[in-house]
Amino acid sequence: MRNFSAGFALLAAVAVTAVRAQSFTGFTPARQAVEEKTEAEFRKYQSADSFKKHLEWLSSVPHVAGTPENERVRDYIAETMRKAGWQVDIYPHDIYLPKGPGEIAVELVEPIRQPLNIREYLFPEDKYSKDPRIMPGWNAYSGSGDVTAEVVYANYGRKEDFEQLKAMGISVQGKIVMARYGGNFRGYKAQFAQAAGAAGLLIYTDPADNGYTKGLTFPEGPQPSESIIQRGSLLTVPYTGDPLTPGEPALPLDGKVKIKRLDPKDVALHTIPVTPIPYGSAIDILKRMTGAKAVPAGWQGGLPFAYRLEGGPELKVRLMVKQEKAITRIYEVVGTLTGAEFPDEWIIAGCHYDAWSFGATDPNSGTAMLLSMTESLGKLAKTGQRPRRTIKVAHWDAEEFGVIGSAEWAEQFRDELTQKAVAYMNYDAAVSGRMFGASASPSMKKLLIEATQAVQYPDSNITVYQHWLKQGGRRQGSTVGIASSAPATAVNEPVIGNLGGGSDHIAPYMHVGIPSLNAGTGGPTLYHSANDDLFFYDKFADPTYKMGPMVEQVAGTLALRMANADLLPYDLSRYANDLSTHLKAAEKAIKAYAPTYSIEPVLAAVADLKKNAEAAEAASQQYVQAGRTDKLAELNRTLRQLEQSFIDPKGMAFGSWYRSLYASSDPYSGYASWMLPGFLYEASLKSTANLPDLENRYKKAIQALSDQLASLTRAMSADKPATLGGGKK
């Protein structure tokens, strides 16, 4: 494949010219001039060939966490970063993990005996599909059991779906539940099925959601065909990370520091057998269902017959899962490029490296991009252009089992991160297509926009930002869950989503309190299947391999702007704007069952915050435009503590590990975001009992943020050093 470096260098020059008239947030004019040259030099180094080389190596074999193949991926990552001039540290953690899929069987027992397929087909076009190391479709943290029972169809297996079944007089007690993927995290399907008394659970991808109703199927097209299976974890404990060490790092058993571990029998892991099947196997069950009741509106899937709620006594299915679990060693690989001026201020970029199979799009398109970025930043450093602040690039293990590695590392370094971390930027599956999108905490939004305005979209005369705006700003489908977690939008900007669950930003953002974002490109996907491989990537995700260098330019620009700014380039005014949106949405959710409720006392605190935020924004612009660099250490220390205003030691009622009052993952759906989760959890219970306490906690957090912004304004407006507020009050 030809090298695209020259073309990208030319496009980079165009992009730099386009943004030269703009002021970079947080930069004095003199520093901006240096930064423009640094970024222009950085953009000379991107190469489609380099990105492709890394992706091919990373995705050449299946590499599930805990396997020798994944350890070889770990070693490749470490060696690549060392060769690029980065210090590399490897952090081992001992995690309670499944030892693999174990034994799985699904079969019809009545009215006929017929084993059902639990593996993807071998495709002649796709050489990777023949790899003997590919595991069958499986769900990590399934219970073990061997059950034969009647069948009940439960739509998506959401909380409301099981409630509706009960209201219709349909019992799942002792039955095997069939649920389709979508609507919530698969672990909650298992949790709700078990709570309702089900004997087992089968999960499948319905073609109404992904498959032939959406277009051509694999291998002719990118949609799931009849044998494609979505693997995935079921872990639903009320914290993120290792099931046995909530809130504490799962340090090695043979290490000097001993960590107390829970007994597995005392952890609320699922006990019923659960496994995923392809819709080619699901059809053999669903078409034989004879129950008298058809499904309610919205429950009909895409298979060519009317769906029924019950299989009837003539239909029996056997589900057997035997899955062992044990303490397993995993490894976090962290590269460090130490800052030349402020080594104790950390910008962290990360992506996991373990996969359910080959992982070409998820996650290793992001892994490959970050490896290329470490090489580009290493070349800059070798020319004397070392970043002012420290940049860390982290490659996490065991994300697919429950976002485990990043959570353990964040718990291990929680105190240090609280003091030093500037931002966490997540790039899970970051080069999976051609449509750019992002989610971010409020303070990261302006920088995200500026970075995408500085990078050219391949084969076009527009920037990534303009392409993002034109496509409507969405990388993936709409947010599921409570409607009050809709993103806070701004006029003439693309939609910047809220950070929810499902990836490695959870611990940095929701447990530690680090401003975070998740960004990249998306497109069609064979999510968590054996065929998320290089054949799929080369044919459907990005045959040009130009998106890797483009995303690297965005990620590198974000890292360099954060690392080299005089004042940390946070968006100070967004907090008030976004809080107002989310508070009004929370009020609407509560008013649905408590019509007289008013959230006005908290909104009043936001009004004061808005004044202080706008004043701080104006003062910071005046400060840098005047070329001032006095008091930078103190000012930036206060800026780093702003997000900590929302970290509440009491945590959320649904799980004290989730300490951010501002954002959490939805505890009922897993993937979706909950903005102001204290209020949303109360709303989910249709309760008002805890609202006075919640209002006080939120007002206290908002006041702490407001006070810190006021102290920043005073310090930047003063001619001589002033005492700064920091941390929570």
Side-chain angles (χ1 to χ4, degrees):
M1 184 171 195
R2 71 185 178 87
N3 192 300
F4 290 96
S5 296
F8 271 97
L10 178 61
L11 292 175
V14 173
V16 168
T17 301
V19 299
R20 190 175 295 278
Q22 295 180 343
S23 294
F24 292 7
T25 299
F27 285 79
T28 63
R31 181 66 60 183
Q32 178 170 333
V34 174
E35 178 67 10
E36 287 173 348
K37 292 177 182 176
T38 300
E39 291 179 18
E41 181 71 18
F42 170 78
R43 292 187 187 115
K44 293 178 182 178
Y45 299 133
Q46 284 69 57
S47 160
D49 290 343
S50 172
F51 170 73
K52 185 179 183 184
K53 178 194 75 173
H54 291 313
L55 184 62
E56 287 180 338
W57 204 103
L58 294 163
S59 306
S60 59
V61 300
H63 52 286
V64 177
T67 62
E69 290 80 9
N70 205 45
E71 291 183 8
R72 285 195 281 275
V73 171
R74 171 204 67 195
D75 293 343
Y76 176 81
I77 290 168
E79 184 61 22
T80 300
M81 291 198 290
R82 287 191 189 105
K83 286 180 179 177
W86 293 58
Q87 174 191 325
V88 175
D89 296 290
I90 297 177
Y91 300 93
H93 295 106
D94 283 350
I95 309 298
Y96 190 64
L97 291 182
K99 295 171 74 172
E103 297 179 52
I104 302 170
V106 183
E107 58 183 326
L108 290 171
V109 175
E110 295 180 28
I112 63 170
R113 281 200 170 274
Q114 178 184 320
L116 298 182
N117 178 44
I118 57 170
R119 289 181 176 272
E120 283 90 352
Y121 296 160
L122 303 178
F123 298 102
E125 306 94 323
D126 183 358
K127 68 178 183 180
Y128 300 98
S129 69
K130 303 174 181 65
D131 194 307
R133 290 165 291 195
I134 296 173
M135 297 175 181
W138 65 295
N139 288 134
Y141 294 105
S142 167
S144 292
D146 190 340
V147 297
T148 299
E150 295 178 30
V151 176
V152 172
Y153 171 67
N155 195 25
Y156 292 110
R158 300 169 298 184
K159 181 171 177 279
E160 57 265 38
D161 294 330
F162 283 100
E163 289 170 350
Q164 190 164 355
L165 282 173
K166 184 177 180 181
M168 291 185 292
I170 305 295
S171 172
V172 303
Q173 185 72 39
K175 310 286 178 62
I176 291 174
V177 169
M178 294 276 295
R180 50 178 168 156
Y181 271 115
N184 62 354
F185 170 59
R186 69 189 76 79
Y188 289 104
K189 301 176 195 293
Q191 181 173 308
F192 299 142
Q194 182 174 309
L201 172 66
L202 294 169
I203 316 176
Y204 75 101
T205 298
D206 195 287
D209 304 304
N210 291 285
Y212 55 73
T213 65
K214 305 295 184 182
L216 295 175
T217 60
F218 188 80
E220 185 181 5
Q223 290 294 326
S225 48
E226 63 179 342
S227 73
I228 302 299
I229 304 170
Q230 184 192 134
R231 293 148 180 79
S233 177
L234 301 172
L235 191 60
T236 55
V237 290
Y239 43 90
T240 295
D242 173 42
L244 305 188
T245 59
E248 296 297 329
L251 298 178
L253 291 170
D254 56 1
K256 292 180 180 178
V257 179
K258 302 302 178 184
I259 298 296
K260 184 178 179 181
R261 285 171 161 81
L262 300 175
D263 188 315
K265 66 179 173 52
D266 296 327
V267 180
L269 300 176
H270 306 295
T271 58
I272 62 171
V274 183
T275 204
I277 57 175
Y279 70 74
S281 295
I283 196 172
D284 283 324
I285 300 172
L286 293 169
K287 73 181 181 182
R288 290 182 167 86
M289 294 177 71
T290 59
K293 292 184 179 179
V295 296
W299 286 39
Q300 174 68 38
L303 295 170
F305 44 78
Y307 286 30
R308 298 170 188 260
L309 292 174
E310 297 176 285
E314 307 299 318
L315 177 62
K316 298 282 199 326
V317 171
R318 178 187 177 223
L319 166 60
M320 185 273 288
V321 176
K322 292 182 180 178
Q323 187 181 109
E324 291 186 57
K325 303 169 186 71
I327 300 291
T328 305
R329 181 69 53 91
I330 67 167
Y331 303 90
E332 281 43 81
V333 187
V334 180
T336 301
L337 191 62
T338 303
E341 296 180 45
F342 310 108
D344 288 337
E345 298 182 25
W346 297 354
I347 290 88
I348 307 166
C351 175
H352 70 100
Y353 64 94
D354 67 302
W356 283 112
S357 187
F358 298 94
T361 62
D362 178 14
N364 293 132
S365 63
T367 315
M369 182 277 294
L370 286 179
L371 286 178
S372 294
M373 189 180 82
T374 58
E375 290 174 326
S376 298
L377 291 173
K379 290 172 184 175
L380 265 185
K382 287 172 184 175
T383 66
Q385 298 177 81
R386 181 174 287 274
R388 301 175 76 193
R389 295 180 180 86
T390 293
I391 299 175
K392 289 181 178 286
V393 173
H395 298 273
W396 312 117
D397 201 355
E399 189 272 355
E400 295 293 11
F401 285 83
V403 197
I404 292 175
S406 56
E408 298 312 308
W409 190 83
E411 289 173 345
Q412 185 174 349
F413 295 100
R414 181 168 45 221
D415 293 343
E416 200 168 359
L417 289 167
T418 298
Q419 296 300 317
K420 297 179 179 179
V422 171
Y424 176 71
M425 298 174 285
N426 199 51
Y427 296 107
D428 187 358
V431 197
S432 296
R434 299 184 64 84
M435 304 289 279
F436 185 84
S439 301
S441 55
S443 59
M444 297 292 286
K445 290 184 176 180
K446 185 194 292 185
L447 182 64
L448 183 60
I449 288 169
E450 290 180 359
T452 54
Q453 288 172 334
V455 176
Q456 200 82 359
Y457 189 87
D459 301 322
S460 76
N461 60 356
I462 61 175
T463 64
V464 174
Y465 177 79
Q466 290 168 320
H467 190 272
W468 184 16
L469 194 61
K470 191 169 69 170
Q471 76 192 24
R474 297 188 185 276
R475 179 184 173 195
Q476 296 172 332
S478 60
T479 300
V480 295
I482 260 184
S484 51
S485 284
T489 57
V491 178
N492 298 324
E493 285 183 5
V495 175
I496 301 175
N498 303 320
L499 289 165
S503 198
D504 291 299
H505 58 268
I506 294 176
Y509 186 39
M510 300 169 186
H511 182 67
V512 181
I514 305 169
S516 298
L517 63 80
N518 201 326
T521 58
T525 175
L526 295 182
Y527 183 65
H528 287 188
S529 79
N531 301 103
D532 180 10
D533 57 25
L534 290 162
F535 172 82
F536 179 87
Y537 195 94
D538 196 60
K539 189 171 182 180
F540 301 114
D542 180 25
T544 71
Y545 286 85
K546 294 181 181 180
M547 303 308 291
M550 184 204 83
V551 175
E552 183 194 335
Q553 290 186 352
V554 174
T557 301
L558 284 163
L560 286 168
R561 298 267 176 105
M562 274 283 175
N564 292 333
D566 293 295
L567 277 182
L568 292 173
Y570 294 138
D571 190 339
L572 302 181
S573 64
R574 288 285 177 137
Y575 277 116
N577 295 336
D578 290 13
L579 272 166
S580 180
T581 296
H582 298 315
L583 281 166
K584 290 172 184 175
E587 182 185 62
K588 183 178 179 182
I590 296 166
K591 276 182 174 290
Y593 63 91
T596 61
Y597 178 70
S598 172
I599 211 162
E600 187 56 41
V602 189
L603 281 170
V606 174
D608 289 338
L609 170 66
K610 184 177 177 66
K611 294 175 186 175
N612 283 336
E614 289 174 348
E617 194 83 63
S620 66
Q621 290 176 16
Q622 292 169 4
Y623 179 90
V624 293
Q625 287 305 309
R628 291 177 60 183
T629 57
D630 55 296
K631 300 178 287 188
L632 278 182
E634 296 92 338
L635 291 168
N636 285 324
R637 186 181 304 116
T638 300
L639 284 163
R640 289 199 306 279
Q641 297 302 308
L642 294 179
E643 194 77 32
Q644 297 292 318
S645 301
F646 292 104
I647 294 299
D648 188 329
K650 186 176 178 180
M652 295 298 102
F654 54 82
S656 60
W657 187 91
Y658 299 94
R659 303 194 302 163
S660 172
L661 289 166
Y662 191 83
S664 80
S665 51
D666 179 340
Y668 299 114
S669 81
Y671 290 125
S673 59
W674 262 19
M675 310 311 294
L676 314 185
F679 286 123
L680 293 195
Y681 186 65
E682 194 76 357
S684 76
L685 302 176
K686 293 183 168 51
S687 168
T688 58
N690 296 305
L691 289 176
D693 176 61
L694 285 166
E695 287 180 7
N696 286 332
R697 291 166 70 188
Y698 275 96
K699 285 191 291 185
K700 182 180 178 183
I702 292 166
Q703 188 62 53
L705 178 59
S706 186
D707 289 346
Q708 290 182 94
L709 289 167
S711 74
L712 280 167
T713 302
R714 289 193 298 271
M716 289 185 288
S717 302
D719 293 328
K720 57 185 180 180
T723 301
L724 295 174
K728 296 182 290 294
K729 295 189 178 179

